[in-house]
Amino acid sequence: METSAEQSITDPPDPDPAQEQPDAQIAQWEDRWRRTAADLDNLRKRYARDLDRERAAERAKVAGAWLPMLDNLELALAHTNSETDPLVAGVRAIRDQAVQVLEQLGYPRHSEVGVPFSPQLHEVVSVVDRPDLPPGTVVEVLRPGYGENGQQLRPAAVIVSRAEG
């Protein structure tokens, strides 16, 4: 019977896989490193897109909170017939400032009359016969709209012309 000392001399040692194939091991670690770096890069890009989307959603939320206040200021100004009253001038200044804030948030005001109807900017509330205007022309704006380029806070409520018939 052989002793353990004799056995270790006569049997070849077990090969170490790391020593046997160092290039393969290095290639495997390099592959893992590259995949991890690519995953990290993809994660950064995804977080950047998510952050932009969240910012836009918060901006829309804040802008939407301004609309009822702005509508009430517009209503107050519509019910006054004094142009010289300092109180009316103050309310008008506040309204103008609120419109400016919405524009800075990326939601410019749309209250133009005489422009062609656009489904992206307008919501038709009524249609009237106006032979002096081409069909589909905005005749009156009942409620201004805010936004552009697919970022519509709300469309303008309008009355449009139609052809007589």
Side-chain angles (χ1 to χ4, degrees):
M1 176 180 261
E2 293 182 23
T3 63
S4 64
E6 291 174 12
Q7 183 182 9
S8 63
I9 295 173
T10 57
D11 294 338
D14 291 333
D16 183 9
Q19 289 176 350
E20 195 170 287
Q21 300 173 351
D23 291 339
Q25 188 72 21
I26 290 171
Q28 182 182 13
W29 283 105
E30 260 185 28
D31 183 56
R32 281 185 169 173
W33 172 76
R34 289 181 199 281
R35 288 176 187 265
T36 303
D39 286 346
L40 180 61
D41 190 46
N42 289 339
L43 185 65
R44 283 185 186 139
K45 289 175 184 175
R46 189 175 85 224
Y47 280 149
R49 282 191 310 269
D50 289 349
L51 183 61
D52 288 344
R53 195 174 17 252
E54 286 298 317
R55 282 182 181 154
E58 276 304 307
R59 192 170 37 251
K61 196 176 187 183
V62 168
W66 278 94
L67 284 180
M69 177 185 60
L70 188 55
D71 288 341
N72 288 332
L73 291 171
E74 299 263 349
L75 188 60
L77 289 171
H79 289 303
T80 185
N81 44 1
S82 172
E83 293 295 321
T84 59
D85 185 2
L87 183 62
V88 172
V91 171
R92 188 171 286 114
I94 293 169
R95 188 260 336 252
D96 293 345
Q97 188 176 15
V99 169
Q100 185 181 13
V101 167
L102 285 175
E103 191 166 329
Q104 289 171 347
L105 289 172
Y107 299 101
R109 180 184 176 108
H110 296 286
S111 59
E112 302 85 12
V113 175
V115 298
F117 169 76
S118 168
Q120 288 81 23
L121 300 176
H122 304 116
E123 174 186 354
V124 176
V125 175
S126 181
V127 179
V128 294
D129 291 326
R130 289 289 300 264
D132 57 325
L133 294 173
T137 302
V138 174
V139 176
E140 184 180 349
V141 176
L142 301 175
R143 184 190 71 211
Y146 296 90
E148 65 184 356
N149 298 336
Q151 293 182 337
Q152 193 73 358
L153 194 55
R154 88 169 171 206
V158 298
I159 297 174
V160 296
S161 64
R162 71 174 164 209
E164 288 187 62

